């Protein structure tokens, strides 16, 4: 599946592993349920670790363990479900997560600029043909008006510098 990370289309090095599968060496993404059931066993695997959170699973559930993860994937089950936006900001601004925050599920082109503002830096694409449109959407907004979870300085801060 195509992945856009930091504005570039790349091959996804991560493998999402089902709860009943053995963990291979290398970067893996597990469910919250698997992490909660066997966290130390999962953390002992050979390679970077990521966790995927469903839209009803707040990052507060992994807050104490956040330092063990290199990636947190937040699911968008439908375009009408925006909880992952709040979760991304929570991860970046309150919990101080510096790893990859990935949008998975129903990720739409017209929402990608706002996702970046909330702290997402990677987007799991269902349609390989939409990847270029996503890259273009990331470049459409060059100036922002409000501070957010990304590192961009808003217009007022730019005027004062």
């Amino acid at each position: 599946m195509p992945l856009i990370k930091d504005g570039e289309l790349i091959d996804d090095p991560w493998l999402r592993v089902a709860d009943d599968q053995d963990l291979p060496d290398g970067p893996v993404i597990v469910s919250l349920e698997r992490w909660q059931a066997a966290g130390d066993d999962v953390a002992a695997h050979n390679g970077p670790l990521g966790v995927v959170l469903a839209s009803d699973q707040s990052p507060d559930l992994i807050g104490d363990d956040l330092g063990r993860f290199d990636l947190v994937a937040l699911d968008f089950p439908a375009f009408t479900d925006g909880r992952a936006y709040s979760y991304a900001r929570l991860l970046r601004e309150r919990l101080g997560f510096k790893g990859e925050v990935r949008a998975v599920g129903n990720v739409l082109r017209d929402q990608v600029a706002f996702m970046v503002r909330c702290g997402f830096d990677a987007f799991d694409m269902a349609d390989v043909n939409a990847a270029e449109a996503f890259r273009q959407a990331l470049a459409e907004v060059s100036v922002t008006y409000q501070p957010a979870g990304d590192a961009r300085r808003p217009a007022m801060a730019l005027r004062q510098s």
Side-chain angles (χ1 to χ4, degrees), residues 28-128:
V28 295
I29 302 172
V30 298
S31 69
L32 175 63
E33 292 79 10
R34 185 170 188 167
W35 173 254
Q36 289 176 329
D40 289 335
D41 292 338
V42 171
H45 103 283
N46 188 17
L49 182 62
V51 64
V52 62
L53 301 177
S55 64
D56 63 345
Q57 297 172 328
S58 169
D60 287 331
L61 296 170
I62 57 169
D64 292 337
D65 298 324
L66 202 53
R68 299 174 128 186
F69 298 110
D70 299 290
L71 175 150
V72 177
L74 301 173
D75 185 39
F76 285 87
F79 78 94
T80 56
D81 189 334
R83 289 176 282 187
Y85 291 104
S86 301
Y87 293 161
R89 290 197 72 172
L90 177 71
L91 282 165
R92 294 291 191 210
E93 297 174 22
R94 190 178 309 161
L95 299 174
F97 184 65
K98 301 293 184 202
E100 179 179 319
V101 178
R102 180 181 294 195
V104 300
N106 191 10
V107 180
L108 302 175
R109 177 193 184 276
D110 62 341
Q111 298 172 339
V112 70
F114 188 58
M115 289 178 177
V116 169
R117 302 279 356 257
C118 290
F120 287 97
D121 59 357
F123 307 91
D124 201 11
M125 309 292 304
D127 180 5
V128 68

